[in-house]
Amino acid sequence: MFGRLKKLKCPVGPTDQKWLEDNWLLLCNALGTDIIHNADTIDSDDAYRMKDEPFDVFATDLLEQCCPRFGLDHTAITVGTYEDARPETQADMDDEAERLAEQGVAIIWLPGEITPDPAYVASSVISRLAMWTWPNDAFEFDDEQQALQLAELTAVQFGFGVLIANAAISDGAWNNGVMGGWQTYRRTHLLVYHLGYALALYGWSRDETEPVWRHK
């Protein structure tokens, strides 16, 4: 009645599969596999909802929850925002980062427009934290995009893959007073089906055949 079912096809092409698999093994060699086997999979971003908290309180709570998983000291990290990318703004950001570094504090900069979006903030902060687990000079990148993609892949190994995948796409309505519509936009550097493939690698690495988190 329904006709023959077509054979399922992986949406990730061979080139991207190779990149994900090669870099997954690269991370395993650099960081070890204990982080994968011992990670408690974060299956929802509910723990990182902003609710009615001011942004700085939310950011502090986020760091307190996430830093221990990466072996980082949350008191030595802060989150700042910027409103634009003008040269003078970058200079101010560099000065602030240098001032904080003298106090032994590192700063994660985020664009101010994403602060009302807790899932976007959480995935961005977690990816930056993941970068700080890399051994010095362990990886070489052609551009910043590659580094950010590897950071998200690293976060998957630490158990944040479901959270980041759930934050990958957002949608919303728009209206300019004359006409309106609906749009979607990306919030991650890996595409959502790349994150799905990374989660498959995560489950495979943990010998999980029926992971509970796959329904989250």
Side-chain angles (χ1 to χ4, degrees), residues 55-201:
F55 175 75
D56 58 340
V57 176
F58 168 69
T60 299
D61 290 346
L62 180 66
L63 291 172
E64 288 180 358
Q65 292 183 69
C66 297
C67 284
R69 185 177 288 260
F70 292 108
L72 301 171
D73 178 6
H74 70 87
T75 64
I77 302 171
T78 189
V79 178
T81 62
Y82 62 90
E83 299 306 321
D84 53 47
R86 293 176 299 173
E88 57 269 31
T89 302
Q90 183 61 54
D92 291 342
M93 291 164 60
D94 291 343
D95 290 344
E96 177 66 3
E98 184 176 350
R99 183 186 69 80
L100 289 170
E102 291 174 354
Q103 302 174 21
V105 176
I107 187 167
I108 297 172
W109 288 109
L110 299 177
E113 65 265 21
I114 79 168
T115 56
D117 188 338
Y120 199 166
V121 171
S123 63
S124 299
V125 169
I126 287 167
S127 296
R128 293 292 181 174
L129 295 176
M131 286 183 171
W132 289 333
T133 67
W134 297 341
N136 291 335
D137 302 322
F139 310 115
E140 295 182 359
F141 305 104
D142 294 333
D143 51 43
E144 185 182 12
Q145 175 73 356
Q146 282 190 356
L148 293 169
Q149 288 174 334
L150 190 65
E152 290 177 350
L153 195 62
T154 306
V156 174
Q157 292 200 349
F158 277 89
F160 289 103
V162 174
L163 185 150
I164 291 178
N166 284 339
I169 297 176
S170 182
D171 55 27
W174 60 271
N175 191 312
N176 61 12
V178 178
M179 58 188 300
W182 196 262
Q183 64 181 3
T184 62
Y185 59 92
R186 284 175 56 187
R187 296 187 291 196
T188 57
H189 299 277
L190 288 172
L191 298 176
V192 66
Y193 45 83
H194 292 155
L195 288 164
Y197 198 88
L199 281 166
L201 291 171

